[in-house]
Amino acid sequence: MFQLQKGKYQSIIAKIWQWSGFGLASFLLYILAVQFNFLWLFGGMPSLQELENPKSQVASVLYSEDGVEMGKYFRENRSPVEYEELSPNLIKALIATEDARFTQHSGIDLRSTFRVITHLGSAGGGSTLSQQLAKNLFDTRRSAEEDNSEDGTSYKGILAKIPLIRTLIAKTKEWILAVRLESRYTKQEILKMYLNEVSFGNNAYGIRVACKTYFGKDVNNVTEKEAATLIGMLQNPSLYDPRRHPERCLTRRNIVLGQMYRYGYIDQAEAIELQGKTLGLNFKVENQNTGDAPYFREALKKQLQNALADINSTRDESDKLNLYTSGLRIYTTIDSRMQQYAQESLDDHMRDQQKKFYAHWKGRNPWVDEKMHEIKGFLKDAMKRTQRYKALMEEYNGDEETVWKILKTPVKMTVFSWQGDRDTTLSPLDSMNYYKRILNCGFMAMNPNDGHVKAWVGGINFKFFKFDHVRQSKRQPGSTFKPFVYAAALENGAANLCDYVVDEPVTFGAEDGLVGKTWTPQNSEGRYSYASMSLRHAMGLSINSVSAKLMKILGPEKVAEFAHRAGIQSTLNETPALCLGASEVSVYEQVAAYCTFMNEGERIDPILILRIEDKNGNELKRFETTSKKVISSETAYQMTHMLKGAIQESGGTAQGLNRYNCAKGNDIGAKTGTTSNYSDGWFMGVTQNLVAGVWVGGDDRSIHFRSLSLGQGAKMAMPAYAMFMDKVYADKSLVIAGFKKEPFRKPEGADLGCNSSYTISTDSTGIQQPTAKPKEDEEGFLK
């Protein structure tokens, strides 16, 4: 009997071994089938090269010339971190919460896996950090419908359409990949890769960005409770979002702190103390609207894309770079200090201008015609030009009544205000009414000696006003165009610095290309003095009749040709009105062209980028500026003297600059500009090392001040420039860097030419000439 039972047990044991062997063999065959995608059933696996060089989307970072991070380009906001930079608190919280036996397994924790299968022991997941890393790196859980990655990689096979089978295959691949990762990377490298890869919600990918987004800190100095908050969010970033669900997040954080106590990373007293504290958020999400110089960053995109197209033209398809995902390092010419001072100065000035504008138009609508009469139906006409109106008309088949009903229906929205973003309820039409009353601005500063653009402010708030008033916007420059008229006259021999002119009417007619009409430019005050004055005095006081007289002699073609040579790129209407700045130009062009005067007649093209590096610091492309001699050194030097007249001449339009420190003990030149009806206020300021331009006005030309006392460039634009320059000169580090008060550079052999004493008479052109002509030097300039 005993023998029979013994034989029976042996038979059972043999069968168990047999079936176990069969099961093990089947399991191994299944693993091999998954690994090698047998009959295309299971989908592909990452190659050895992909395992050794896993690709993650990494944000490209812009840096200022002085090494400060300015902002990023990204789809996923991720900035990698090295293991040595990580706070130990992050490592402790991660291991205690996600994989307590991390240091004891080689990718698969059989104990945790068995616990999950049998539901034994405490609750918890069976995936190790290595498995989670594999899932995140290679997106193994992506559905079959989504299985077309950007690089064309496909990890889904025929069986992927069966839900439970798909999950089993994905889990199997994660096991295989986890073991592979463990064989190729150290534990520290896996931790680093994991923390760089995971998402924390709110467009924060990777631990560095998460620390900055939620706590305003770098990864090396987060506290234990902050680390516990971030690691706790990993289970479900949306569910445990500390902004939207602070109670849930707090509960989850305290669970992580409990895990840290359980595994000996903190003691019980610490755990209890930390669990009683608040989250202590310092939330600031990074996006296209945040960071320094957002208008500059947006303006830079096209140039960067073109540069990358050149770089990629010599690269293999798998090695091509992407501005948003390749982790490029882009070094620009912007100076972070100057950019900050420009932003601060424009903010202070525009806040003041807006206050004055509201008071000036109190009780009235600011959209007026040339006679200062309100434009009837202005808002409705403006709304009809919007894309929103056109889209609604298309959606509702031209049913205007329905469309206007929608446009007059109040909705919740956030609007810009100088007191901060304001949540309110407005209809789209009311919103337009609100925004049309807001003044805007553009500012750019450039070093005329090397072409480096140092500061760029394209508007009052990039979040709400995307249009760039530095390069995109083109407005009439008014009298800030006059220096090109004067310089063209000097360069073409139509006048010289010793000439005197009479402030008197100048009429253009058929002989000047006008058909069926005449035009007599008026001075800003509507009268003529009939006084004889130097060219410098005339430009300093911005006398319109003198600019007209020079235009009468030269002709518009020569003035336009000279302005283009100096650096103006826009099309200029070759009509007499060009002498008063009637053709539209950008702040960018004006600053570049004024730099030609400061650079001894060398037109130097503005440069925005210094170099582009890859994520490892290898230089991909270096940028150099180009320059060309376009006007004589003597003319350029004489124009620096002329530009000083606006500040030094009695009654000069920029004499108000003398109230600021920047004009004291300094060679500084300027030109104000005010267009008809005060639609545009301009100011151009020049020193030997910095040329800057400011424009202020309404986005619609019909929205402006009603009086010269408020609407002139000296009031609308000059104070912003003055405040900026005062801040620059007060910064000792910038003074050391060369941005200091110093004389204008005098080219060798150049002379102003007006050192002799002589009397004045008037010739037939109306330009005053000396009765006894002084001697000329070899270049033809007066001594």
Side-chain angles (χ1 to χ4, degrees):
M1 186 71 172
F2 176 77
Q3 291 296 331
L4 288 173
Q5 288 180 338
K6 181 178 180 183
K8 182 180 179 180
Y9 291 142
Q10 287 177 337
S11 176
I12 292 172
I13 292 171
K15 286 182 179 181
I16 291 173
W17 277 107
Q18 182 180 355
W19 282 105
S20 296
F22 177 76
L24 180 60
S26 298
F27 179 73
L28 292 175
L29 286 172
Y30 164 71
I31 295 293
L32 290 171
V34 172
Q35 183 166 346
F36 295 103
N37 191 19
F38 180 67
L39 295 178
W40 300 280
L41 294 172
F42 306 98
M45 289 280 286
S47 64
L48 179 63
Q49 183 180 6
E50 287 176 285
L51 278 174
E52 292 179 346
N53 299 282
K55 289 185 178 180
S56 295
Q57 291 192 15
V58 180
S60 294
V61 183
L62 264 76
Y63 295 95
S64 64
E65 191 168 10
D66 54 320
V68 176
E69 182 180 319
M70 296 169 54
K72 300 174 182 177
Y73 299 114
F74 56 82
R75 293 197 185 107
E76 294 181 355
N77 187 11
R78 179 183 287 108
S79 296
V81 62
E82 293 300 321
Y83 181 84
E84 292 73 21
E85 299 176 79
L86 293 168
S87 165
N89 295 323
L90 289 165
I91 302 300
K92 293 172 185 177
L94 178 63
I95 292 176
T97 307
E98 296 293 331
D99 193 352
R101 289 166 41 79
F102 176 68
T103 59
Q104 301 170 40
H105 61 69
S106 298
I108 302 173
D109 187 351
L110 294 177
R111 183 190 299 179
S112 297
T113 303
F114 184 73
R115 184 188 65 221
V116 171
I117 294 172
T118 60
H119 298 283
L120 297 176
S122 59
S127 291
T128 64
L129 284 173
S130 303
Q131 289 170 242
Q132 293 180 49
L133 175 60
K135 179 175 69 175
N136 285 315
L137 278 177
F138 304 108
D139 208 359
T140 56
R141 302 296 178 96
R142 184 170 48 198
S143 68
E145 291 75 17
E146 299 171 325
D147 191 46
N148 284 311
S149 59
E150 189 175 319
D151 60 4
T153 303
S154 176
Y155 297 140
K156 297 295 183 294
I158 297 171
L159 297 177
K161 294 183 180 180
I162 306 173
L164 292 177
I165 298 296
R166 179 174 66 231
T167 303
L168 176 61
I169 293 171
K171 192 68 178 176
T172 304
K173 289 184 177 183
E174 290 163 19
W175 289 339
I176 297 169
L177 291 171
V179 173
R180 286 187 181 181
L181 288 170
E182 290 270 356
S183 68
R184 284 172 172 79
Y185 297 101
T186 66
K187 291 289 186 180
Q188 291 183 348
E189 288 172 330
I190 288 173
L191 286 171
K192 176 195 76 172
M193 292 166 68
Y194 178 86
L195 286 170
N196 280 330
E197 184 64 25
V198 288
S199 169
F200 291 85
N202 290 303
N203 208 15
Y205 291 84
I207 192 63
R208 186 192 294 279
V209 176
C211 291
K212 187 174 181 181
T213 298
Y214 292 103
F215 296 106
K217 291 186 174 182
D218 202 1
V219 291
N220 59 2
N221 62 0
V222 291
T223 63
E224 289 165 325
K225 75 180 183 69
E226 291 165 348
T229 300
L230 293 170
I231 298 304
M233 291 172 61
L234 290 175
Q235 188 177 84
N236 189 323
S238 297
L239 185 65
Y240 298 115
D241 186 328
R243 285 192 315 142
R244 295 182 175 87
H245 309 294
E247 297 84 5
R248 290 180 194 166
C249 183
L250 188 65
T251 301
R252 178 63 184 161
R253 182 205 69 181
N254 288 346
I255 290 173
V256 175
L257 289 170
Q259 289 292 98
M260 293 175 72
Y261 161 64
R262 177 183 177 185
Y263 290 104
Y265 293 118
I266 56 176
D267 60 34
Q268 187 176 29
E270 285 178 296
I272 293 172
E273 180 186 357
L274 293 172
Q275 287 174 338
K277 292 187 176 182
T278 62
L279 290 173
L281 292 181
N282 181 15
F283 182 83
K284 186 178 181 182
V285 67
E286 286 187 295
N287 55 40
Q288 62 174 346
N289 300 319
T290 61
D292 296 331
Y295 289 96
F296 174 80
R297 299 199 315 263
E298 187 66 22
L300 214 56
K301 277 186 184 179
K302 186 174 181 180
Q303 185 178 353
L304 287 169
Q305 295 284 23
N306 290 338
L308 288 178
D310 290 340
I311 295 169
N312 285 335
S313 64
T314 59
R315 287 175 165 247
D316 295 334
E317 194 65 33
S318 61
D319 198 32
K320 290 190 184 299
L321 300 168
N322 185 293
L323 178 61
Y324 300 95
T325 63
S326 296
L328 304 173
R329 302 175 187 177
I330 302 156
Y331 293 87
T332 73
T333 61
I334 292 290
D335 185 283
S336 67
R337 296 156 294 187
M338 289 192 194
Q339 181 64 32
Q340 178 186 342
Y341 300 149
Q343 191 66 65
E344 290 173 353
S345 301
L346 267 296
D347 283 352
D348 290 344
H349 177 65
M350 293 306 297
R351 187 179 286 106
D352 176 67
Q353 286 295 296
Q354 193 63 55
K355 183 178 179 180
K356 290 176 179 175
F357 192 75
Y358 283 148
H360 183 67
W361 284 101
K362 187 176 181 179
R364 297 180 59 181
N365 290 325
W367 34 86
V368 291
D369 59 21
E370 293 181 358
K371 295 182 179 180
M372 298 296 174
H373 296 152
E374 182 180 338
I375 300 172
K376 302 301 181 184
F378 174 83
L379 286 178
K380 281 198 169 184
D381 289 341
M383 181 62 79
K384 287 180 179 180
R385 294 191 294 269
T386 65
Q387 191 58 43
R388 182 171 193 171
Y389 176 85
K390 294 172 184 176
L392 285 171
M393 285 292 287
E394 184 176 345
E395 182 180 351
Y396 291 95
N397 299 316
D399 184 351
E400 270 199 286
E401 184 177 347
T402 300
V403 168
W404 282 113
K405 184 178 180 181
I406 293 170
L407 293 174
K408 292 178 180 180
T409 302
V411 294
K412 290 183 178 181
M413 63 177 67
T414 301
V415 298
F416 164 82
S417 82
W418 279 110
Q419 290 71 45
D421 297 358
R422 184 161 61 92
D423 294 328
T424 186
T425 301
L426 293 173
S427 72
L429 194 61
D430 289 336
S431 174
M432 175 170 282
N433 186 1
Y434 174 77
Y435 277 115
K436 285 295 183 183
R437 301 168 187 270
I438 296 177
L439 298 178
N440 221 313
C441 65
F443 174 93
M444 177 177 142
M446 173 177 163
N447 185 337
N449 306 305
D450 59 16
H452 290 195
V453 174
K454 310 308 298 179
W456 183 305
V457 180
I460 56 174
N461 188 292
F462 186 74
K463 178 179 177 180
F464 293 95
F465 304 91
K466 293 290 192 285
F467 191 69
D468 178 25
H469 287 286
V470 171
R471 200 168 190 177
Q472 277 184 295
S473 176
K474 293 186 179 184
R475 302 291 288 248
Q476 292 180 348
S479 295
T480 59
F481 191 83
K482 288 177 181 176
F484 304 119
V485 180
Y486 281 78
L490 295 175
E491 186 82 350
N492 285 279
N496 63 55
L497 209 59
C498 297
D499 288 338
Y500 273 62
V501 290
V502 175
D503 172 20
E504 59 187 354
V506 176
T507 299
F508 295 89
E511 71 278 12
D512 304 297
L514 300 182
V515 180
K517 60 180 179 179
T518 61
W519 177 57
T520 304
Q522 302 292 309
N523 287 331
S524 61
E525 296 179 352
R527 58 184 176 80
Y528 306 97
S529 67
Y530 294 94
S532 178
M533 62 188 69
S534 69
L535 286 179
R536 186 177 191 255
H537 188 75
M539 196 174 90
L541 273 63
S542 201
I543 305 298
N544 288 346
S545 66
V546 176
S547 295
K549 191 168 292 188
L550 294 176
M551 177 64 83
K552 184 85 171 173
I553 298 168
L554 280 172
E557 296 81 4
K558 286 186 178 179
V559 172
E561 186 277 331
F562 180 89
H564 283 138
R565 224 181 332 136
I568 298 296
Q569 299 170 340
S570 295
T571 300
L572 299 174
N573 296 323
E574 295 178 356
T575 63
L578 183 62
C579 68
L580 303 186
S583 287
E584 297 173 343
V585 299
S586 67
V587 172
Y588 179 88
E589 294 172 273
Q590 286 281 87
V591 171
Y594 269 66
C595 282
T596 303
F597 297 139
M598 305 311 301
N599 198 35
E600 300 183 19
E602 290 267 348
R603 186 187 69 215
I604 191 162
D605 295 330
I607 181 171
L608 312 179
I609 310 171
L610 295 173
R611 67 186 185 278
I612 301 174
E613 295 177 354
D614 66 17
K615 63 183 179 182
N616 298 315
N618 301 308
E619 186 172 294
L620 300 171
K621 187 176 180 67
R622 181 171 288 271
F623 295 78
E624 303 290 346
T625 191
T626 57
S627 62
K628 181 181 179 182
K629 188 75 170 179
V630 292
I631 62 175
S632 70
S633 300
E634 289 80 4
T635 297
Y637 181 58
Q638 288 175 356
M639 287 307 300
T640 65
H641 175 69
M642 296 272 280
L643 286 165
K644 289 195 289 184
I647 302 164
Q648 296 177 350
E649 294 286 339
S650 176
T653 59
Q655 275 198 314
L657 206 60
N658 288 313
R659 298 194 299 269
Y660 296 87
N661 175 62
C662 61
K664 296 173 183 176
N666 188 28
D667 259 4
I668 188 168
K671 189 70 195 79
T672 59
T674 309
T675 60
S676 59
N677 291 335
Y678 325 114
S679 294
D680 305 277
W682 287 77
F683 188 82
M684 301 297 300
V686 299
T687 65
Q688 186 55 63
N689 298 312
L690 207 58
V691 172
V694 187
W695 167 87
V696 175
D699 281 331
D700 281 83
R701 287 176 173 81
S702 57
I703 297 172
H704 47 72
F705 286 106
R706 300 191 305 273
S707 66
L708 184 64
S709 61
L710 290 171
Q712 62 181 291
K715 297 292 180 66
M716 288 178 69
M718 185 185 73
Y721 169 82
M723 288 188 284
F724 166 74
M725 291 300 294
D726 277 0
K727 290 174 184 286
V728 169
Y729 288 142
D731 189 328
K732 301 303 180 185
S733 66
L734 285 172
V735 172
I736 293 171
F739 296 97
K740 56 187 177 182
K741 296 180 179 180
E742 62 178 308
F744 288 137
R745 190 167 56 241
K746 182 179 180 181
E748 186 176 350
D751 196 345
L752 296 178
C754 290
N755 299 326
S756 303
S757 298
Y758 47 86
T759 58
I760 301 298
S761 65
T762 307
D763 66 11
S764 59
T765 66
I767 291 185
Q768 301 281 336
Q769 299 287 356
T771 53
K773 186 177 181 180
K775 294 181 180 179
E776 297 180 354
D777 61 16
E778 294 179 359
E779 298 290 332
F781 288 90
L782 299 177
K783 294 182 178 178

